Amino acid sequence: RQRGLGDVYKRQAYYNGWLGGCFCSSLFCFAPDGTIIFATLNFPGSWSDGELAKQLYAILARLPPGYSIAADSAFTRADMADKIIRPLKSDEMERLQASVSVSAFIASVKRHRLALSVRQSAEWGMGSMQSMCGRLQHRLPAKLKPLRLLLDLCTHYFNFRTRTVGFNQIRTVYSPRRQLGPQLLP
């Protein structure tokens, strides 16, 4: 079968130079109870995290003051600095140290450390999702509709399991003790 130009453009869109292959990208946002509260699924692998998060940025812009999310250092929108707590990159840390007062730098370092510790929860969420849905640890189908269906099912199954079973490391660390369900110890 002769491949058309559409196939070439599609391969280019899904090619991720960092990983050296064709991939789909997804973005997940976890709540303190461990459930997935926002997801963008099945986007071209060449897209940056910032592109995947456009809908999330719109939601964050409507949040009242004092509410924010934790993210990795790929989320660098200056207008969202008060809504996104993220670790600083090393060059950002150096520039900040040279340009602000000592007290402002110390406050930035504290925020950076907080972001690093809270950022761990995303790793816990993705790790528990991959362990729960073993299929996600292997190559997934290249056809976009079946892949989207599989990712949708895994996301809904993850939330169902988190809400009904309740065993989730994010929930254990960040939810108040009274919300964790029956306690085994007094």
Side-chain angles (χ1 to χ4, degrees), residues 50-111:
E51 279 294 315
L52 294 178
K54 280 188 176 181
Q55 292 175 344
L56 181 60
Y57 289 146
I59 293 168
L60 291 176
R62 295 189 308 265
L63 284 179
Y67 288 88
S68 58
I69 64 167
D72 65 22
S73 59
F75 296 88
T76 57
R77 284 206 22 195
D79 63 325
M80 293 283 167
D82 62 329
K83 300 292 184 188
I84 301 173
I85 298 172
R86 65 176 188 80
L88 297 172
K89 296 177 181 177
S90 59
D91 63 325
E92 290 175 316
M93 188 75 80
E94 291 168 7
R95 277 187 269 131
L96 190 65
Q97 186 176 9
S99 65
V100 297
S101 68
V102 173
S103 60
F105 180 71
I106 290 171
S108 295
V109 168
K110 286 180 180 179
R111 186 176 167 110

Side-chain angles (χ1 to χ4, degrees), residues 41-42 141 143-156:
L41 305 172
N42 220 17
K143 294 185 178 179
L144 297 179
K145 286 184 181 178
L147 178 57
R148 173 65 191 229
L149 178 61
L150 177 65
L151 292 173
D152 277 340
L153 288 172
C154 288
T155 302
H156 289 293

Side-chain angles (χ1 to χ4, degrees), residues 4-6 11 17 19 34 41 54-55 62 85 99 101 104 107 118-119 121 130 132 147 153 157 166 168 170-171 183:
L5 286 177
R11 279 198 316 272
L19 299 172
L41 305 172
K54 280 188 176 181
Q55 292 175 344
R62 295 189 308 265
I85 298 172
S99 65
S101 68
V118 173
R119 171 74 179 85
S121 61
Q130 289 173 342
M132 185 195 66
L147 178 57
L153 288 172
Y157 175 58
N168 185 293
I170 298 171
R171 183 179 201 174
Q183 300 296 317

Side-chain angles (χ1 to χ4, degrees), residues 110-183:
K110 286 180 180 179
R111 186 176 167 110
H112 169 74
R113 288 184 179 159
L114 171 67
L116 285 175
S117 67
V118 173
R119 171 74 179 85
Q120 180 61 41
S121 61
E123 301 300 332
W124 294 334
M126 292 308 298
S128 61
M129 187 170 187
Q130 289 173 342
S131 67
M132 185 195 66
C133 300
R135 181 69 179 102
L136 296 178
Q137 296 178 10
H138 303 286
R139 290 224 179 235
L140 297 173
K143 294 185 178 179
L144 297 179
K145 286 184 181 178
L147 178 57
R148 173 65 191 229
L149 178 61
L150 177 65
L151 292 173
D152 277 340
L153 288 172
C154 288
T155 302
H156 289 293
Y157 175 58
F158 178 85
N159 280 346
F160 174 76
R161 184 175 180 271
T162 299
R163 288 182 179 122
T164 56
V165 176
F167 294 114
N168 185 293
Q169 194 165 7
I170 298 171
R171 183 179 201 174
T172 304
V173 172
Y174 293 107
S175 284
R177 189 172 177 84
R178 65 184 174 357
Q179 292 183 2
L180 294 178
Q183 300 296 317

Side-chain angles (χ1 to χ4, degrees), residues 15-58:
Y15 183 78
N16 181 316
W18 182 262
L19 299 172
C22 291
F23 294 92
C24 288
S25 294
S26 297
L27 177 118
F28 296 93
C29 188
F30 296 92
D33 69 353
T35 57
I36 296 169
I37 57 171
F38 179 85
T40 55
L41 305 172
N42 220 17
F43 280 81
S46 64
W47 286 23
S48 68
D49 290 340
E51 279 294 315
L52 294 178
K54 280 188 176 181
Q55 292 175 344
L56 181 60
Y57 289 146

Side-chain angles (χ1 to χ4, degrees), residues 1-11:
R1 175 183 121 160
Q2 184 83 20
R3 292 184 180 228
L5 286 177
D7 292 339
V8 172
Y9 292 130
K10 187 181 282 189
R11 279 198 316 272

